[in-house]
Amino acid sequence: MPKGKQKRRSDANNARNTLVLPKMDIIGISDEDSANDNASVISSVSGSTIYEDTQIGDEIDQNQFEEFEDKLSEAIEGMGVKSVQTRVQNIEAVSAALMKRFIPEFVGSRRLTITDAIERSLKKGRGAEQAAAAQLAALLCLQLGSTNMVDDICQTLIPTLLLIIGDDSMSCIVRAKCCWALSILTFVGNYEDMENVVEVLRQTYRMSFIKHSSLGTASLANEAALYTAALSAWCLLLTVMTTAPDNLSMDMKQIVTLLDSNCVEIRMAAGEIIAVILEQIKDYDCVEEWEPDDDVLMKLKELATDSHKFRAKKDRKTQRSVFRDIIRYIEEGEFPKMQVRFGQECLSLDTWCRKKQYDCIRQALGSGMNLHLKENDLLRDILNLGEKINTMSSPSHKQTKLERHLMNAAAFKARSICRGKHRDKRTISIS
């Protein structure tokens, strides 16, 4: 027998004796993918779906909800495994589930396990694990609301977040995530040492005063994201401070220089800080502390009419819109009324402080913002939405997908029976 045929036959026998294992893809949702409404979260423990998106009005039966809780419990337990990749995937899976569902009772009963896993990942993890843990920390506090449980979580996690933000050896992306998480924890948990938090954020964004002319380049994109996060986090805390921060006038003079930054996000963050400070300055009882001069107003007007072709069209459009609103507020004292519609309700953003609070919370919740606006008591209290609306008892209750399907099926059945009777009795007429 030729050697070639013998070799092919032995290869075929080996192939038949080989056990082929199915490949299982474990999908986690990152920060960039959190806005995708069609994404699914999969547990690395069981390899099955934790949560699949449905419309807000769709009903989910008890069996599906129990299955969801089982898969989420497995993912929570999986945050403590040895494999770094598996830990990150489980942390991201839990974060995505907390975005899409409001389950404070379930989360509250497992808060210690989740908090310990977050703290361990922040202290011992690196890179993606720390970033995912910081995001989960913010979501955990938003789920539990303003309770004693949140206060305990803040006391545990905020010191670690402060250390990471102040460590220049850490990744800029990790420090940016920690800035966002720190602002949410401090904002929601009423952290006692808020002045220290504000000072750490101030020290973080001060480097942007030196590098603002080069932050628009691709090589410094991560640093620009860090400074933008620090500025936005600092601005969020300004909305709840009862006294003006120290050296406010000096800070504002430096923040004005960021209007010349090459990074559009930093320019808009600086503009929003100016608007928030002018709105809050009356509550601080320090009207003489800082006021925009003619040079500042001129710079704001230039940005409101910017048409430089070397900037992206989308960036120019967004920037002009933001700074036109700022100019109108400074000159006329008029805030552009913005409305956010969700379900049968409408949220009105009529102050710069409330708009900033909404933007920062939306940064944390991503595509789950509308659901939490409907169900989360903490968010409804922060944004003055009042009590939750019982959509089932409302006369304008919109039919769910399941209800429409059942009604259509019943109508189709009745129509078929009616037509069938006439078809059975048809006769052929011959003229």
Side-chain angles (χ1 to χ4, degrees), residues 115-134:
T115 304
D116 290 343
I118 293 173
E119 184 180 17
R120 183 167 55 251
S121 295
L122 288 174
K123 289 182 176 180
K124 299 182 179 180
R126 287 293 180 271
E129 183 178 359
Q130 290 177 307

Side-chain angles (χ1 to χ4, degrees), residues 60-70:
I60 301 174
D61 60 30
Q62 188 64 25
N63 292 334
Q64 289 177 326
F65 187 72
E66 290 177 356
E67 182 181 358
F68 162 79
E69 289 185 338
D70 292 340

